[in-house]
Amino acid sequence: MAEKYRLKINPPPPTDEEIAARKNFDRVLGQYRRTAKSRSLHDTISRLNKSVPVFILMLLLALLIVYFGQVMRRRNQPAPKPAPTQTGLNPATARGAAPDQLPLSLAVA
Amino acid sequence: MLAKPGQLPAASPMHQSERAIAEENDIVERAKTNPEVFGFLYEKYYRSIFVFIDRRVEDRQTADDLTSQVFLKAMLNLPKYQFKGLPFSAWLYRIASNQINEFYRNSHQSRVVSLDDTHLERLFGEAGETAHRDRANLVRHLLDQLEPAEVQLLELRFFEDRPFKEIAYILDITENNAKVKTYRILEKLRKLLNLNEG
């Protein structure tokens, strides 16, 4: 099993030259600019990811409301009056149908 | 007026006057809108953060990589930084501490603990023992009984001589909790010393 801690007794401290050689603010600034740019793009995309589905749902809901509104309006409109027919005439014979083409009940009569 | 980074005093940044801390906070506020101003803070604290990390990892290259990550994270999260009356370095040490924890979580390596004779002197002095011969071995036994968070506290308090207020801030615990945990660590060391004598 690996030991929990590794002890270093009196390790030599880094020299000034070694530290100076590693210090590079321009590198960190460059990394910062790249990361900040990609972060802002990522933030925009994640904001869009959150808002686009909500927008689509709202649009669907609005379309549904408009559609059902129209259906309800059509239902509530009064039914059109039937076209006037000659009294005493059978509507089928009045249109000139032959007796053998009449329904059985009417032909027998 | 601001001193140029090269002219900054070599004294430990952890022990600054209130005026120096307030002046430093002005620089931090300016760096929030102008990232290039952060260069002053980088120059001022690079050495102490590098040494802090170097004592906790195996090699210098890892220390270099982690130090760069600490400063990058500090720059990226600077808009969220809130001044709490502590030196800016306390915030950097906090990021560094989290960065080291993350490194060990991902690498599954054994944590490195660096010790100097002066640290041992101080730790054993606090435990009321001044003449023990095999101190390094005793510390090894003590470390085996401690969790990583306790070892971090031991390092900050006894090996780096930091005040409890800063330790609490770095480890994100209360000051009281830091004191209680330190007391418990010393108790464990005293028990080990008694066992060793008996």
Side-chain angles (χ1 to χ4, degrees), chain B residues 156-175:
Chain B
L156 292 168
R157 181 65 190 163
F158 297 109
F159 306 164
E160 289 164 13
D161 194 20
R162 291 178 200 277
F164 280 114
K165 193 179 175 186
E166 282 176 5
I167 293 174
Y169 181 75
I170 293 168
L171 298 181
D172 199 15
I173 55 176
T174 64
E175 199 174 333

Side-chain angles (χ1 to χ4, degrees), chain B:
Chain B
M1 201 183 131
L2 283 174
K4 284 188 177 173
Q7 296 170 335
L8 287 166
S12 165
M14 295 303 288
H15 306 287
Q16 296 178 21
S17 69
E18 280 184 24
R19 193 178 155 209
I21 292 173
E23 273 180 8
E24 185 180 73
N25 192 49
D26 287 343
I27 301 173
V28 174
E29 288 304 317
R30 279 168 47 199
K32 283 182 182 179
T33 50
N34 183 1
E36 285 177 17
V37 175
F38 194 86
F40 280 99
L41 301 163
Y42 181 88
E43 288 291 328
K44 186 175 178 181
Y45 291 120
Y46 183 87
R47 185 191 177 87
S48 44
I49 295 295
F50 182 83
V51 171
F52 178 88
I53 294 174
D54 183 57
R55 295 187 66 84
R56 288 160 171 82
V57 295
E58 188 65 49
D59 58 282
R60 295 263 150 88
Q61 189 52 49
T62 307
D64 186 25
D65 293 344
L66 293 180
T67 307
S68 293
Q69 285 300 310
V70 168
F71 282 103
L72 178 63
K73 281 194 175 174
M75 287 183 82
L76 289 168
N77 292 304
L78 200 62
K80 294 181 201 162
Y81 172 76
Q82 286 180 330
F83 179 60
K84 290 185 177 170
L86 288 168
F88 181 68
S89 57
W91 192 59
L92 291 176
Y93 284 118
R94 185 177 179 158
I95 298 172
S97 187
N98 290 334
Q99 199 66 35
I100 293 165
N101 288 343
E102 194 183 314
F103 167 75
Y104 280 114
R105 250 197 322 273
N106 296 335
S107 69
H108 304 289
Q109 292 177 20
S110 303
R111 276 186 101 94
V112 170
V113 179
S114 294
L115 281 171
D116 291 342
D117 291 331
T118 48
H119 301 149
L120 290 172
E121 197 77 39
R122 182 170 154 71
L123 177 64
F124 280 82
E126 288 275 348
E129 170 70 50
T130 50
H132 204 278
R133 281 181 199 165
D134 198 2
R135 286 173 169 176
N137 204 30
L138 259 179
V139 169
R140 212 181 292 272
H141 280 109
L142 174 68
L143 290 179
D144 281 341
Q145 297 181 19
L146 301 178
E147 291 302 314
E150 291 174 309
V151 173
Q152 280 177 280
L153 199 140
L154 187 80
E155 288 172 314
L156 292 168
R157 181 65 190 163
F158 297 109
F159 306 164
E160 289 164 13
D161 194 20
R162 291 178 200 277
F164 280 114
K165 193 179 175 186
E166 282 176 5
I167 293 174
Y169 181 75
I170 293 168
L171 298 181
D172 199 15
I173 55 176
T174 64
E175 199 174 333
N176 215 25
N177 198 357
K179 285 177 185 170
V180 170
K181 282 183 173 179
T182 306
Y183 177 78
R184 285 187 192 146
I185 292 169
L186 283 176
E187 276 302 296
K188 280 182 186 175
L189 181 61
R190 283 192 194 107
K191 269 186 195 170
L192 272 175
L193 284 167
N194 288 341
L195 274 175
N196 217 264
E197 278 172 9

Side-chain angles (χ1 to χ4, degrees), chain A residues 66-86:
Chain A
V66 169
Y67 173 74
F68 279 111
Q70 281 182 348
V71 167
M72 293 303 285
R73 209 179 307 144
R74 258 185 232 150
R75 268 197 194 172
N76 292 339
Q77 272 175 359
K81 286 177 187 169
T85 56
Q86 283 181 308

Side-chain angles (χ1 to χ4, degrees), chain A residues 1-54:
Chain A
M1 193 183 133
E3 54 185 347
K4 207 169 169 185
Y5 302 103
R6 246 184 50 72
L7 269 188
K8 282 205 274 186
I9 312 274
N10 294 323
T15 61
D16 287 346
E17 291 76 29
E18 200 170 358
I19 288 174
R22 292 180 187 277
K23 196 160 61 175
N24 186 350
F25 180 64
D26 288 340
R27 188 182 61 185
V28 178
L29 189 63
Q31 273 183 319
Y32 164 77
R33 287 196 169 126
R34 279 193 299 277
T35 314
K37 202 182 275 183
S38 68
R39 247 194 190 188
S40 70
L41 181 70
H42 178 263
D43 287 351
T44 312
I45 291 169
S46 66
R47 253 201 310 275
L48 279 177
N49 274 348
K50 279 178 198 162
S51 58
V52 165
V54 174

